Amino acid sequence: MATALVLGSGGPTGAAWELGILAGLANEGVDVTDADTVIGTSAGSAVGAQVTAGLPIEQLYQAQLARATAEIPAKFGARFNLMTAAAMLRSPSPQRFRQRVGARALAASTVSEAARHEVIVKRLPSQSWPDRRLLIVAVDAMSGEVAVFDRDAGVSLADAVAASCAIPTIWPPARIGDRRFIDGGLRSWANADLAEGADRIVVLAPMPQGSGPMAKVADQVSALARAATVALIVPDRDARVAIGGNILDPSRRSVSARAGRRQGAQAAAMVRSAWLGATA
């Protein structure tokens, strides 16, 4: 039985919620961090790199409760939504939509790429790709093409995570060779369809909705469920309140992590059934 763990977009608060979910599950005896394949998009790429680095999930969770953080506060909301809405109106295809958003990202004034890359490096317990299969999703800012990085792609782990986390017009596009990359969430907030082929799948989606040409997480999960057992977890009411209206507010990491841990404990029976089988 091949297993896959999908970790979706959600900024520092969504990442904290995901680590809380994983800690809550593990505390109830359901450790899904040992998945054969881990798929990370945006903030989920950093979480994926963390959980495949070999550190105990409890240690990663506790780090979310610390006040000190290297994260740079920013605002995610109306401005980003207006930008993507404008790109949708003039885009006949998903790739053209991503290309238009990429053009906006390349022209935007943001923090320096070096400052942003330093934040990414500090998120990672290891600079080396794990032995397990870790897939990190990004988008080429010029062409709109989707890139899926793994340990065989010839790209450093930090560069791959920086590319996947490069929210357009908020963070600078990440340079890899002669190409620039933006957030993998522009294809889908979770890219859960990349788990196709696994028999048992857990999807954590801090941002499940999607809009316009962005593939919706629920649709991808429904397609996967035709051939696999899938458990989808999205923030419950308490978690949504904890995360708040700005996913890029690092001051809400601790409350988001705690909310995730409570929700993970509550979801353990459902996830155990999907992950280990109904009779486990």
Side-chain angles (χ1 to χ4, degrees), residues 91-211:
S91 302
S93 69
Q95 182 171 343
R96 184 60 176 149
F97 161 73
R98 296 189 294 266
Q99 191 176 32
R100 287 189 178 279
V101 173
R104 297 285 187 94
L106 291 167
S109 176
T110 66
V111 301
S112 72
E113 190 174 346
R116 178 60 179 162
H117 198 273
E118 183 178 354
V119 171
I120 298 299
V121 169
K122 289 181 177 178
R123 288 180 181 177
L124 306 182
S126 170
Q127 299 300 304
S128 300
W129 285 90
D131 292 333
R132 271 186 296 149
R133 188 170 182 243
L134 172 62
L135 306 181
I136 293 178
V137 187
V139 169
D140 186 303
M142 289 290 291
S143 68
E145 294 178 346
V146 177
V148 181
F149 299 116
D150 62 14
R151 64 174 177 262
D152 298 321
V155 174
S156 76
L157 179 60
D159 283 350
V161 173
S164 188
C165 292
I167 303 174
T169 72
I170 297 175
W171 307 127
R175 189 185 305 275
I176 299 178
D178 60 355
R179 301 170 71 186
R180 305 287 295 280
F181 291 90
I182 56 175
D183 200 298
L186 269 294
R187 178 181 182 267
S188 162
W189 289 131
N191 293 294
D193 60 315
L194 297 181
E196 184 178 5
D199 302 291
R200 303 193 184 280
I201 304 166
V202 170
V203 180
L204 306 187
M207 301 169 64
Q209 63 278 19
S211 59

